[in-house]
Amino acid sequence: MGDHQPAETGNSLPGLYRRQDEHDSCGIGFVADIKGRKSHGILNRGLEVLERMEHRGAESADNKTGDGAGVLLQIPHTFYSELVPGLPQAGEYGAGLVFLPGKQSKGSPEAIMKVLETLAASSGLAVVAWRDVPTDPSVIGSIARKAEPSVKQVFLAVKGGSAGSVVTSSSAAPSVGVTSGALVTAPSAIEKRLFIFRKRLEKAIREGSFAGKGDFYLPSLSSRTMIYKGMLMSSQLRTYFTELSDPRLETAVALVHSRFSTNTFPAWSLAQPFRMVAHNGEINTIKGNRYWMAAREALFASSEFGEEIQDILPVIEPEKSDSASFDNALELLVMSGRSLPHALMMLIPESWNDKNPIPQELKSFYEYHACVMEPWDGPASMVFCDGRYVGGTLDRNGLRPSRYTVTDKDLIVMASETGVQDFESEEISFKGRLMPGKLLLVDLEEGRIIPDAEVKSQVCRRRPYAAWVRKNVVPLESLPPVPEQL
């Protein structure tokens, strides 16, 4: 039991319960068409997965306020282009959900919208349109309504396009020019610009004196993905965001999360998915992870960002959950030029021993990156998506098992438990589960599941990690003995 101190109870016998040790399991999962074919059916299946994991999420005392639920999907360009006049071509604009001060707040949404527009202009971006997102507050609980933000969407393009229109009516993931079989390593120019702009905006609002600034949050801002989420129960997501039932809204992937809050109070901003991941479990090393990231910021240098590197600090958004902090770190690594699998391998390294032997080149990769990034250890099961890649991984402790099914129609369904989708036995091509430290990776552009060994071999061979380790790492046993003191 270590230094565990028993709690006092109402009788003379001490109990073993400690509130700070409460833990439970969120629900995570995704549905994807492996061949990248978009349809409303994929979104509908994703929402069914979420609704079947309602028991994985928590609810408040009013029995109608959830800890959080959400879905990440590819930007439904055809749907948005019908609603937003002057929208550029798919992949040539960024779109995001924006939480602003709501009806219960003393803050002004317009004040924050003005700051966003001003900073966008100075970041080389122009606001194409603001859009009110249709919602139905009647379906959520009174506690959620008291904290409910004003929910809008913003559409941004590189400066020079149309700007300033307002829509009040109720993803194609662009190719980045890599050859087939090669993992994408560089973010597109617009993705990087949107990332820097969003970090600048977050800092400006956080450090400003805006009334109701605590309501401000950008769940997503991307040219590839869109997130709908809130302080909802799993069954409320599609009824609160009414357009999720619109058959014109199509995607090839739907990644979902049902939240059971353990280390933070429920909040609209802390619902998941985050910008690239959804998480089941806890990051038990989170305090050290945050401190180490803050400590290394003084040494940051990058040809990708140049002088703008100061604009993206701090990396970790303050006063957010462990999952949000992990997402911040992952996003930084990807935006600085690493592939999504590379960044995940850095943050969630694989263990190796006699029962899990790995190639020497992979050992060298992990040895090198151990000098750069400490592990973000769980228990943790992660699902992730950037609009092209979708998949899952389990940390090396292996204590949050997740299962997946592949059908003969090239559909893959993964979740933190079975039973989230019904298939006839003859439809099932393969069943599997996430393994500790292994990656399940689907490339929606290539239309295939890339095996763990292939992914890691590609990542490891991009740089001479073994040579770098031999040249720069000094093992303790190779040091000369300490001379005896006279």
Side-chain angles (χ1 to χ4, degrees):
M1 299 293 287
D3 61 357
H4 182 96
Q5 298 296 318
E8 294 297 330
T9 63
N11 53 44
S12 58
L13 295 176
L16 295 177
Y17 168 78
R18 288 202 309 177
R19 181 177 179 181
Q20 60 266 38
D21 285 341
E22 276 192 352
H23 300 290
D24 214 292
S25 300
C26 301
I28 59 171
F30 67 82
V31 178
D33 185 302
I34 297 171
K35 299 301 181 183
R37 296 165 296 198
K38 292 185 175 184
S39 69
H40 184 70
I42 292 293
L43 175 58
N44 191 56
R45 281 185 179 273
L47 295 176
E48 285 180 353
V49 169
L50 179 65
E51 289 157 1
R52 291 187 179 188
M53 294 190 297
E54 187 161 40
H55 61 285
R56 288 274 187 163
E59 60 187 50
S60 194
D62 61 5
N63 295 321
K64 289 188 69 178
T65 295
D67 274 12
V71 60
L72 179 153
L73 57 150
Q74 292 173 320
I75 285 182
H77 172 70
T78 302
F79 176 68
Y80 290 154
S81 63
E82 294 179 12
L83 301 175
V84 181
L87 198 63
Q89 295 297 309
E92 296 179 3
Y93 65 92
L97 205 70
V98 188
F99 291 165
L100 296 164
K103 295 179 180 178
Q104 306 294 327
S105 172
K106 297 180 180 179
S108 165
E110 291 76 17
I112 293 177
M113 291 166 68
K114 182 64 177 177
V115 174
L116 184 151
E117 292 171 356
T118 302
L119 275 178
S122 65
S123 301
L125 298 166
V127 174
V128 177
W130 285 98
R131 174 174 177 257
D132 294 325
V133 178
T135 60
D136 183 0
S138 69
V139 304
I140 63 177
S142 59
I143 297 173
R145 279 199 300 273
K146 288 178 182 178
E148 182 187 17
S150 172
V151 184
K152 294 183 181 290
Q153 280 177 331
V154 65
F155 297 85
L156 297 160
V158 175
K159 193 182 292 186
S162 61
S165 62
V166 178
V167 178
T168 56
S169 65
S170 39
S171 139
S175 171
V176 292
V178 296
T179 58
S180 178
L183 294 173
V184 175
T185 57
S188 66
I190 191 169
E191 279 295 301
K192 191 169 72 172
R193 188 173 299 194
L194 290 167
F195 170 68
I196 295 171
F197 160 67
R198 196 200 80 227
K199 296 292 284 188
R200 290 183 65 201
L201 178 62
E202 289 168 347
K203 184 186 296 186
I205 301 301
R206 186 169 58 244
E207 296 178 357
S209 55
F210 301 94
K213 67 180 183 179
D215 292 334
F216 167 75
Y217 185 72
L218 275 165
S220 61
L221 185 64
S222 171
S223 65
R224 301 176 300 194
T225 58
M226 175 61 68
I227 293 171
Y228 292 83
K229 71 175 186 178
M231 209 164 89
L232 311 168
M233 297 169 61
S234 297
S235 58
Q236 295 170 344
L237 186 68
R238 77 162 88 212
T239 51
Y240 179 77
F241 291 107
T242 56
E243 66 192 30
L244 291 179
S245 298
D246 193 313
R248 297 174 296 169
L249 205 158
E250 297 181 329
T251 179
V253 61
L255 186 148
V256 297
H257 186 275
S258 175
R259 186 171 188 236
F260 194 115
S261 150
T262 55
N263 55 19
T264 56
F265 283 112
W268 282 80
S269 63
L270 294 181
Q272 297 187 42
F274 288 109
R275 285 130 193 165
M276 300 187 84
V277 301
H279 170 215
N280 169 23
E282 292 87 25
I283 305 295
N284 287 337
T285 57
I286 189 61
K287 184 178 289 188
N289 297 137
R290 288 168 174 161
Y291 285 159
W292 277 113
M293 186 63 77
R296 64 171 62 94
E297 286 178 359
L299 303 176
F300 273 8
S302 170
S303 59
E304 291 289 326
F305 296 109
E307 294 181 359
E308 289 182 308
I309 199 162
Q310 294 302 315
D311 293 335
I312 67 172
L313 303 181
V315 174
I316 307 299
E317 294 177 77
E319 299 181 1
K320 294 293 188 286
S321 64
D322 56 347
S323 310
S325 298
F326 179 93
D327 184 73
N328 290 156
L330 177 65
E331 187 180 37
L332 173 73
L333 295 176
V334 171
M335 290 299 169
S336 59
R338 297 170 179 85
S339 69
L340 182 55
H342 183 152
L344 286 161
M345 289 165 63
M346 288 178 64
L347 294 168
I348 308 178
E350 185 176 6
S351 65
W352 68 86
N353 48 46
D354 293 341
K355 294 184 178 180
N356 183 39
I358 63 175
Q360 182 57 49
E361 63 182 8
L362 186 52
K363 290 182 183 179
S364 298
F365 172 90
Y366 287 129
E367 286 184 84
Y368 172 82
H369 285 92
C371 302
V372 179
M373 176 67 66
E374 65 288 337
W376 293 58
D377 268 337
S381 178
M382 296 282 184
V383 288
F384 52 84
C385 182
D386 65 358
R388 171 172 178 168
Y389 298 119
V390 61
T393 188
L394 192 63
D395 81 304
R396 57 191 176 182
N397 297 297
L399 298 177
R400 287 289 187 271
S402 300
R403 299 184 177 274
Y404 61 93
T405 299
V406 180
T407 76
D408 59 356
K409 298 295 191 297
D410 292 309
L411 185 74
I412 182 169
V413 179
M414 200 220 86
S416 44
E417 57 197 273
T418 58
V420 293
Q421 287 284 275
D422 298 321
F423 298 108
E424 298 296 333
S425 58
E426 59 268 21
E427 296 180 89
I428 298 173
S429 299
F430 181 77
K431 286 185 176 181
R433 66 183 179 93
L434 295 185
M435 303 295 288
K438 305 298 184 182
L439 284 168
L440 169 67
L441 186 70
V442 183
D443 186 334
L444 299 175
E445 286 194 13
E446 285 196 18
R448 69 186 182 107
I449 299 174
I450 307 178
D452 174 84
E454 181 182 339
V455 173
K456 292 177 177 174
S457 178
Q458 282 195 48
V459 171
C460 293
R461 293 178 181 178
R462 290 186 61 84
R463 297 289 186 269
Y465 295 114
W468 289 350
V469 169
R470 286 195 301 270
K471 182 178 180 180
N472 298 292
V473 175
V474 180
L476 289 175
E477 56 269 20
S478 68
L479 296 174
V482 178
E484 294 184 7
Q485 299 296 318
L486 297 178

